Every structure is written in C-alpha cells, then in structure tokens.
Amino acid sequence: MMNDGNKNHGSYEISYAINGIRYFINKDEKTASVYECINSNIDIYIPRSIKYESIEYPVTSILPNAFYQMKSIKIQFAPDSQIQSIYTEAFCFSSIESISFPSSLIKLQPNWYNSSIKKISISPNNPYYSLYENTFILKKSSLEKENFDVLIFVTNKSIEKAVIPSYIEIIESCAFELCYNLRKIEISDDSKLRIINEDAFSFSNIDSLYIPASLVELKKGWCNKIEKLTHIKISSNNQRYIYLNETYILEKSDQNSDIYDTIVFARRDIQTAVIPSFIKIIGQYAFNSCKSLTK
C-alpha cells in the first residue's frame, strides 16, 4: 500500500494511491475516482470503496486516460460496485481481454474506449445498459422505455455488416468509430431510428446507408471522416430528407416550407459539385472526405 497524500487538485481533491491504482478523492462530495493505473498488472480490480484517513469513499467513476495504453488487461469490479460513470477515453489505446459492467453503471461517455474487446458482459440487473448479441452495447434513453433504444458502442470493431435492431431510436456519437472493415449498415423499413449523432461512423468504410421514414435528425458531423459512402437510399415516406440526383442529401431549413434548401451530405466519390440555385445552406461536413472533388 502506498499513500502519497498530495493535495494536487484544490482543497477538496486529494491524490491517493493504493494497490497499484491512483485515485482522486473528493472530500466535498465524499467520493473517489480512478485516475491512473500505476502498475503493469493485467488483472485490474476496482473496489466498491477506498478508505482514507478512516473515512470510506465510494469509487464512483473512471476518469479519462486512467488506463492509457495498457495491454491485455482484465477489468473486474466489486460485486457491490458503486461505479456510475466511465469517461471519454478512459481506456484510450488499451486492449481489454475482459470487462464486466456492474449494475450501478449509469453513464458510458462517447468514445470511452476506442478498440475491440475480446469479452464483455453487463449485469442483468443494470437498468440502463444491455448487451445485444455480443455485438452492440445498448442503452435506455429513459427508464420508462420498454426497449434499450440507443446504440452506443460496437464491441467488435472488425464487424463488416451491422444490422440495426428495428427498435433502436438513436445511434450515439462514435458508436461505429474505427470500424475499418464496416461496409454496410442495414436498417429495416419499420425502423424507429430517429437520430444519428456526430461521428457515429467516423473512420469506418461504410459504402451504403438506408435512411428510414422515421429519421428526423442527422446531427452535424454525423458523416465526418467517412470516405466510402456513395450509395444512399431514403424512404419515400421520410418527411425531413430527400436524395437529390443520387448525389446530395437535402433537408429543409424551414420545416413549413416545401423547398429542400440545405445540403447535408454529398456522396463521397463526387468529382464536380453543381450546386442547385435553390440551395441556401451547405451544412458542416457536407463535402468532408470527398477526395475526388476538384470543382
């Protein structure tokens, strides 16, 4: 055991190391967060709480870069774990052999992990998260929902085709990030998909996408860093988007208008862009990664 007892982060945050893990203790909130792993053990055990100066502090979060560039680690949480949040890039550039999320987890931030995981499980008692066919981590947007309606993470980054369950309403930021082998996103006609968030498919190689009638929002940056997307099909019943001349996805800046005046996406193999006279807005990332575009 090691106690460095350094007050590095204000009057309430104390850096404290024990059993190879450094924690930040927040004396105001009476909680602890995993800040850094300081040993090379592949078996990582995160306890329910740690004791500092005779006071017990529940471990409630894992902070960014806490397990930066660690190889072949196995993450185990205490059976009565109090972990609630895992932050963006908590396991940045690491490789995880196995991890099991406890029932207490309520927030996985986008891009909490950016590689594949060999084995993952989620407590069946977790009300927020579920594992779908060992492929997707799903979340409920609210506990009142019957289904886990948000797709937040792909556990297998070598996936080639993704079949989205019809009850999914949101594809979260970075869900398919770094899926280099991914070519096709399969979405059914009866899909309830409403929103695709920013960077949802970044650094993937999807070349085709179907937009169902239910889709109402392509967030700014949804198509960021997608170089191969050239085949788009939009349901004729979609009231928000159209695909013009098999070249541009258009939307209305004014939903009360009949004019689709905003370009939100151009197929990525376009060489010359002819902008229709009725276009008022070229959206962010509309021509991102159009490497053949010269005019």
Side-chain angles (χ1 to χ4, degrees), residues 80-85 101-107 126-128:
D80 56 350
S81 174
Q82 296 296 297
I83 285 287
Q84 296 180 10
S85 301
F101 293 131
S103 59
S104 58
L105 184 68
I106 62 175
K107 189 170 186 180
N126 189 302
Y128 287 94

Side-chain angles (χ1 to χ4, degrees), residues 20-53:
I21 296 178
R22 189 182 306 279
Y23 299 88
F24 273 166
I25 294 173
N26 189 311
K27 298 190 76 173
D28 190 28
E29 296 180 359
K30 294 182 170 53
T31 60
S33 298
V34 177
Y35 171 69
E36 181 184 21
C37 185
I38 54 177
N39 65 28
S40 58
N41 290 342
I42 62 172
D43 293 307
I44 308 295
Y45 181 77
I46 299 176
R48 180 189 187 280
S49 61
I50 60 171
K51 187 172 286 188
Y52 177 75
E53 293 182 347

Side-chain angles (χ1 to χ4, degrees), residues 143-157:
L143 292 181
E144 289 72 32
K145 288 282 188 178
E146 178 182 356
N147 295 310
F148 292 86
D149 59 320
V150 184
L151 195 162
I152 68 164
F153 184 74
V154 179
T155 61
N156 179 13
K157 293 295 184 180

Side-chain angles (χ1 to χ4, degrees), residues 34 40 47 95 134 153 157 197 249-250 255 258-259 265 277:
V34 177
S40 58
S95 59
N134 289 317
F153 184 74
K157 293 295 184 180
N197 272 308
I249 297 178
L250 304 184
Q255 294 306 302
D258 293 328
I259 300 175
F265 174 84
S277 61

Side-chain angles (χ1 to χ4, degrees), residues 156-214:
N156 179 13
K157 293 295 184 180
S158 63
I159 189 172
E160 295 180 6
K161 182 176 79 170
V163 180
I164 310 299
S166 62
Y167 52 81
I168 293 298
E169 297 184 27
I170 301 170
I171 297 178
E172 192 53 274
S173 300
C174 306
F176 291 91
E177 185 179 49
L178 301 177
C179 290
Y180 298 118
N181 297 322
L182 183 63
R183 294 292 187 272
K184 186 176 182 181
I185 304 291
E186 193 168 294
I187 299 171
S188 62
D189 282 328
D190 62 345
S191 172
K192 293 181 172 61
L193 185 64
R194 297 184 296 106
I195 299 170
I196 298 178
N197 272 308
E198 61 274 8
D199 293 315
F201 309 110
S202 60
F203 298 107
S204 74
N205 283 304
I206 61 170
D207 57 24
S208 63
L209 180 68
Y210 174 65
I211 293 179
S214 56

Side-chain angles (χ1 to χ4, degrees), residues 98-143:
S98 63
I99 188 169
S100 181
F101 293 131
S103 59
S104 58
L105 184 68
I106 62 175
K107 189 170 186 180
L108 271 175
Q109 289 196 347
N111 206 25
W112 65 278
Y113 183 62
N114 56 9
S115 189
S116 59
I117 300 172
K118 288 188 176 180
K119 184 178 180 181
I120 188 168
S121 61
I122 298 175
S123 168
N125 297 320
N126 189 302
Y128 287 94
Y129 293 98
S130 176
L131 187 63
Y132 177 79
E133 295 186 349
N134 289 317
T135 303
F136 304 139
I137 296 179
L138 307 182
K139 182 182 179 179
K140 286 189 177 183
S141 57
S142 71
L143 292 181

